[in-house]
């Protein structure tokens, strides 16, 4: 019987405390949590204190010395990188060079250029390591049951005619991420960090890539970094066009993906039912028939399960390659970033048509 993989978490912020630790606790039979690391002892201890309720043997690591201990510990085969967006790629590459399998939080990179350079470095590792480690990006929307079901149902609406994505976020002072310094200093502010989710949902549903787009961006709410509004027209490689509208902070939040086809309409809405947050999927057909389903959030847990399964498989294999669930690949995360990167670029150029970088 294979031993469960031993993993470490780099990062001790809000998302680690409120999402990673509780979700990992749900699947604690699949792995051993060895350590949580942060830059400062105080930060690391604050996360370890929460984790110890579920993982009593987890170790507290901090600073350069603590990071070096994790890197040199050959028993730790997987590492979750949940750090500031500006530092995640460099940290991930450091771990990958040491032979660690990495689950990096989204966004995959700060820019398209960073993603391209990172992939070049990653692909070169195969020349120096006996087994190329897994580099996964944690985009939970690709694992949400609502989008899996939506992808299955999309063929029923026939040839696509139009797509609409409307995102009205709730990034105000009551949101725990509102004061996040790294998100405020990020390229594109909250647009990139939040927007990759909605682009991932779009790409998952339609099953093809955005080739080109034109965006008009604005900065209205001065409590937020610029831009805080995007209105974009895009075209898919299948010829269908659509609109992507994103408001970072709205007084009446909503998130909708709507695909109109010759034979019907598929719509995914974010909402809640019976006290559970999740997504409703509705299908309306030309003959008047309709059906609707509600799926609670479970994507974070499911993506963690997929990564742990891939690490377990890689630990057993002796050959050079490592299997990865395609939904977790760094390239998939880079494709989400490429769309937002193009929207930000088009906005800077007053709506000029921009081709989306391919990965």
């Amino acid at each position: 019987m294979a031993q469960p993989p031993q993993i470490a978490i780099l990062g001790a912020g809000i998302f680690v405390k409120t999402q990673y630790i509780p979700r990992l606790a749900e699947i604690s039979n699949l792995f051993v949590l060895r350590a949580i690391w942060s830059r400062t002892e105080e930060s690391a201890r604050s996360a370890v204190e929460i984790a110890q309720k579920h993982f009593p043997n987890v170790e507290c690591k901090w600073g350069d010395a603590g990071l070096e201990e994790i890197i040199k510990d050959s028993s730790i085969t997987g590492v979750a990188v949940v750090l500031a967006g500006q530092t995640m790629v460099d940290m991930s590459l450091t771990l990958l060079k040491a032979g660690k399998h990495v689950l990096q939080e989204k966004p995959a990179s700060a820019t398209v250029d960073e993603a391209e350079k990172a992939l070049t470095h990653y692909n070169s590792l195969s020349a120096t390591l006996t087994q190329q480690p897994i580099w996964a990006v944690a985009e939970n929307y690709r694992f949400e049951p609502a989008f899996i079901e939506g992808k299955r149902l999309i063929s029923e609406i026939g040839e696509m005619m139009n797509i609409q994505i409307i995102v009205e976020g709730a990034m105000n002072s009551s949101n725990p991420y509102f004061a996040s310094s790294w998100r405020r200093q990020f390229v594109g502010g909250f647009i990139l960090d939040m927007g990759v989710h909605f682009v991932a949902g779009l790409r998952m549903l339609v099953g093809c890539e955005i080739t080109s787009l034109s965006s008009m961006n604005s900065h209205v709410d001065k409590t937020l970094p610029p831009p805080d509004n995007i209105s974009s027209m895009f075209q898919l490689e299948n010829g269908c066009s659509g609109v992507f509208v994103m408001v970072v902070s709205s007084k009446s939040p909503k998130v909708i993906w709507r695909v109109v086809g010759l034979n019907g309409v598929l719509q995914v809405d974010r909402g809640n039912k019976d006290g559970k947050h999740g997504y409703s999927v509705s299908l309306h057909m030309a003959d008047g028939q309709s059906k609707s389903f509600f799926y609670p959030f479970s994507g974070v847990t499911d993506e963690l399960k997929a990564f742990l399964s891939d690490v377990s498989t890689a630990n057993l294999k002796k050959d050079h390659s490592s299997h990865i669930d395609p939904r977790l690949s760094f390239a998939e995360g880079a494709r989400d970033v490429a769309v937002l990167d193009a929207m930000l670029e088009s906005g800077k150029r007053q709506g000029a048509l921009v081709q989306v970088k391919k990965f």
Side-chain angles (χ1 to χ4, degrees):
M1 186 99 177
Q3 293 295 310
Q6 299 187 41
I7 70 166
I9 300 173
L10 303 191
I14 298 167
F15 200 66
V16 168
K17 293 174 181 175
T18 64
Q19 291 297 322
Y20 265 72
I21 293 171
R23 300 293 79 79
L24 285 170
E26 295 172 4
I27 53 174
S28 59
N29 60 308
L30 300 179
F31 70 101
V32 175
L33 180 59
R34 283 284 307 282
I36 296 178
W37 174 92
S38 187
R39 285 173 297 174
T40 66
E41 180 180 2
E42 180 183 10
S43 177
R45 289 200 183 282
S46 68
V48 166
E49 187 176 325
I50 295 170
Q52 281 177 331
K53 297 169 187 173
H54 310 285
F55 307 98
N57 297 319
V58 62
E59 298 175 27
C60 185
K61 305 281 187 181
W62 64 90
D64 291 343
L67 180 60
E68 193 65 20
E69 288 171 9
I70 290 172
I71 289 172
K72 289 184 175 179
D73 189 337
S74 60
S75 67
I76 296 176
T77 56
V79 182
V81 178
V82 197
L83 301 170
Q86 295 90 334
T87 66
M88 282 197 293
V89 168
D90 285 346
M91 181 64 80
S92 294
L93 286 170
T94 297
L95 293 161
L96 290 162
K97 288 173 187 174
K100 307 293 188 189
H101 301 298
V102 170
L103 176 67
Q104 178 196 310
E105 254 309 312
K106 58 85 200 165
S109 62
T111 64
V112 164
D113 287 346
E114 183 181 44
E116 285 185 301
K117 292 173 184 174
L119 275 172
T120 299
H121 284 303
Y122 175 59
N123 291 331
S124 70
L125 293 179
S126 59
T128 57
L129 297 174
T130 55
Q131 183 187 56
Q132 186 171 39
I134 292 165
W135 192 1
V137 170
E139 176 47 73
N140 58 293
Y141 274 48
R142 278 188 269 278
F143 289 84
E144 293 294 348
F147 288 97
I148 295 170
E149 178 66 5
K151 182 177 182 178
R152 188 184 70 81
L153 292 172
I154 198 78
S155 62
E156 296 190 28
I157 67 170
E159 185 176 351
M160 295 178 202
M161 297 193 294
N162 185 259
I163 302 161
Q164 303 145 45
I165 299 93
I166 300 173
V167 179
E168 297 180 14
M171 188 52 66
N172 52 49
S173 57
S174 64
N175 190 300
Y177 299 103
F178 181 77
S180 168
S181 59
W182 76 258
R183 289 174 176 86
R184 288 182 166 274
Q185 295 161 13
F186 214 37
V187 177
F190 287 104
I191 289 286
L192 182 58
D193 182 53
M194 294 167 61
V196 287
H197 282 314
F198 312 119
V199 170
L202 164 63
R203 293 179 54 243
M204 180 87 174
L205 282 177
V206 300
C208 62
E209 301 301 333
I210 297 172
T211 57
S212 60
L213 56 82
S214 170
S215 293
M216 297 298 289
N217 308 339
S218 63
H219 186 209
V220 179
D221 187 341
K222 305 306 182 189
T223 67
L224 296 166
D228 64 325
N229 301 279
I230 278 186
S231 298
S232 181
M233 294 182 63
F234 62 84
Q235 186 165 44
L236 300 178
E237 58 190 359
N238 66 4
C240 183
S241 62
V243 294
F244 180 100
V245 178
M246 181 173 174
V247 178
V248 173
S249 184
S250 166
K251 302 303 180 189
S252 180
K254 69 170 74 172
V255 187
I256 299 169
W257 295 258
R258 184 176 174 89
V259 185
V260 181
L262 272 173
N263 302 328
V265 176
L266 178 70
Q267 182 162 311
V268 179
D269 300 77
R270 185 165 174 169
N272 60 74
K273 183 178 181 181
D274 301 328
K276 293 183 177 180
H277 291 277
Y279 307 88
S280 61
V281 180
S282 55
L283 182 66
H284 304 277
M285 303 304 292
D287 61 3
Q289 297 293 310
S290 65
K291 48 188 174 182
S292 183
F293 312 90
F294 181 80
Y295 298 91
F297 290 136
S298 70
V300 174
T301 304
D302 292 344
E303 72 186 357
L304 289 169
K305 280 183 182 176
F307 174 69
L308 291 167
S309 174
D310 288 346
V311 171
S312 295
T313 301
N315 288 347
L316 287 172
K317 290 175 69 175
K318 301 300 181 185
D319 59 16
H320 187 74
S321 62
S322 291
H323 166 79
I324 183 172
D325 186 311
R327 294 173 293 175
L328 284 171
S329 74
F330 182 88
E332 274 295 299
R335 290 177 189 120
D336 298 332
V337 170
V339 173
L340 270 299
D341 192 271
M343 288 180 183
L344 293 168
E345 176 64 24
S346 176
K348 289 177 186 175
R349 294 162 53 189
Q350 290 74 51
L353 187 67
V354 173
Q355 301 298 311
V356 177
K357 177 68 181 178
K358 293 182 178 180
F359 284 92

